[in-house]
Amino acid sequence: MNSLFLSRVATLRWLAALIAVSYHVRFLLFANYGHVAHKGILTRLFYFVTSLGHESFIAYMVLSGLLLGGLPLSRWRRGADPRPDLWRNGRKVYLLLVPALAAGGLLDVAGGALFAESGVYAALPQSAPTHLTPFVLFGNLLLLQDIVVPGFGSNAMLFLLAYEAWAYVVLATAFSLGPSGLRRGCAVAALLAAALVLVAPRYLGYLAAWLLGLAVAAWAPRWRRRVPGWAGAAVLFAVLLASRVAGARLAALPLPYVSLLRLLLDLMVAGGLAVFLAALYGIRGRRARPGTVARLRRRLAGLGLPLYATQFPLMAFAVALANAWLGLPLAAQPSAGGLLAFALVIGAIYLFALLAARASAALAAMLPSGAAARWSRQWSNAYASLGRLSRRP
């Protein structure tokens, strides 16, 4: 993948993360669209953009499949061992996950004790004390959130890290036996994916979105007939609009149909984004030049994972504090003051994510290189046992 395309993908990553953060903050600070008194054009646009939170989660998985899975795919096809990549990416996730869990738990405990009357934590069912138990914490450390256990405390977005990690493991498992054992590895990977979907049916849509991103990385460079850029953008806008219109009406449907239609809508959004990415790959332009804007774009894109890992606990604490100490209203009508508070809370979330990223980097620097190498070998040997078991008749 060329650097210009990767630069464009980086822009999409930070836009998707910003929409996800805006969606959650708007949910607390402003009234639902149906209760808004004055619905001008700007208000309609604001609510439409900030309502694309669920779609931004699907976009995160598509882009993760393109980058996290697509970049090592060519090496694995040539026979490279996937275990070093698994170790490196797993280490990166855990060095962020552990501080995120600790900070999020402390914020939830402090916020629940100090600002219980604000109504913020009552509006977030996942912040109940039953979500702050050692068992839930242990399940989150095993990346089983939303598969076996809920997210730890109010940190509801941790499920994306788990879904992303298991999608990567499924892909690596397919190549774990080398080129000669690809069919057997794919069979083991399919069984692993089926087991995950059986335990957590919602995972199917996210796994499919991740694999669609992987497909773009694998085949977009080979396509001779390119999708025009305007057509890709039109498809993406159409599926986002359709997803929002249909998604807003899911609650009125019988419960057995909701999950199926949600899955179909997620696949539609993932497919639309894949088409747009394929069109984006074919658009020629000037090579991205280093500069302030490029550095800022890379920094924002790099905050995507820390944002998804930390945004909820900090958002709940900041809004509860502002409500209790400054009288900031919840579920209010849109106003200039409310929009200022909206921007300040988002800025605080980004600052917190930056601090989490710095803490992760500091932990990485403190980890002894000898211990890291030893854990890498032990983890690789444990993962290799999967291949040995699959070879048995």
Side-chain angles (χ1 to χ4, degrees), residues 11-23 56 60 300-301 303-305 307-308 311 350:
T11 300
L12 290 176
R13 287 189 72 188
W14 73 259
L15 283 175
L18 177 61
I19 290 173
V21 174
S22 301
Y23 166 68
S56 73
Y60 175 86
L300 290 173
L303 286 179
L305 187 62
L307 279 171
Y308 283 105
Q311 60 175 280
Y350 267 81

Side-chain angles (χ1 to χ4, degrees), residues 48 52 55 232-246 262 265-276:
F48 174 72
L52 295 173
E55 288 75 9
V235 168
L236 179 59
F237 178 77
V239 299
L240 290 177
L241 183 62
S243 177
R244 277 296 82 221
V245 172
R262 183 72 268 172
L265 290 175
D266 290 348
L267 293 176
M268 179 185 67
V269 171
L273 180 56
V275 170
F276 177 70

Side-chain angles (χ1 to χ4, degrees), residues 70-201:
L71 291 178
L73 184 61
S74 61
R75 299 197 309 274
W76 295 355
R77 279 176 167 176
R78 294 192 298 268
D81 189 350
R83 287 175 293 176
D85 291 310
L86 276 165
W87 160 253
R88 183 174 59 255
N89 287 298
R91 182 170 176 262
K92 177 181 177 182
V93 167
Y94 271 99
L95 288 173
L96 175 64
L97 178 64
V98 172
L101 287 172
L106 290 174
L107 286 172
D108 284 344
V109 171
L114 297 173
F115 311 120
E117 297 181 357
S118 67
V120 170
Y121 290 94
L124 301 174
Q126 67 271 22
S127 64
T130 54
H131 287 199
L132 283 169
T133 64
F135 176 74
V136 174
L137 175 61
F138 183 68
N140 278 247
L141 287 171
L142 294 180
L143 293 172
L144 294 175
Q145 49 269 41
D146 206 49
I147 298 174
V148 177
V149 297
F152 186 60
S154 68
N155 210 338
M157 296 309 302
L158 287 176
F159 78 89
L160 276 179
L161 276 72
Y163 283 3
E164 177 186 43
W166 285 110
Y168 191 71
V169 170
V170 166
L171 176 66
T173 300
F175 293 90
S176 61
L177 304 180
S180 61
L182 185 58
R183 288 186 178 180
R184 188 174 295 180
C186 287
V188 176
L191 288 175
L192 175 59
L196 290 168
V197 171
L198 184 64
V199 175

Side-chain angles (χ1 to χ4, degrees), residues 240-317:
L240 290 177
L241 183 62
S243 177
R244 277 296 82 221
V245 172
R249 289 163 173 75
L250 286 181
L253 298 175
L255 189 59
Y257 297 101
V258 172
S259 298
L260 176 60
L261 291 177
R262 183 72 268 172
L263 171 62
L264 294 176
L265 290 175
D266 290 348
L267 293 176
M268 179 185 67
V269 171
L273 180 56
V275 170
F276 177 70
L277 289 170
L280 204 62
Y281 190 91
I283 298 176
R284 298 183 180 274
R286 292 181 299 178
R287 185 177 295 273
R289 296 180 178 178
T292 303
V293 175
R295 287 195 298 271
L296 178 61
R297 183 167 55 239
R298 287 194 299 270
R299 180 69 61 85
L300 290 173
L303 286 179
L305 187 62
L307 279 171
Y308 283 105
T310 62
Q311 60 175 280
F312 241 100
L314 191 280
M315 175 194 70
F317 187 86

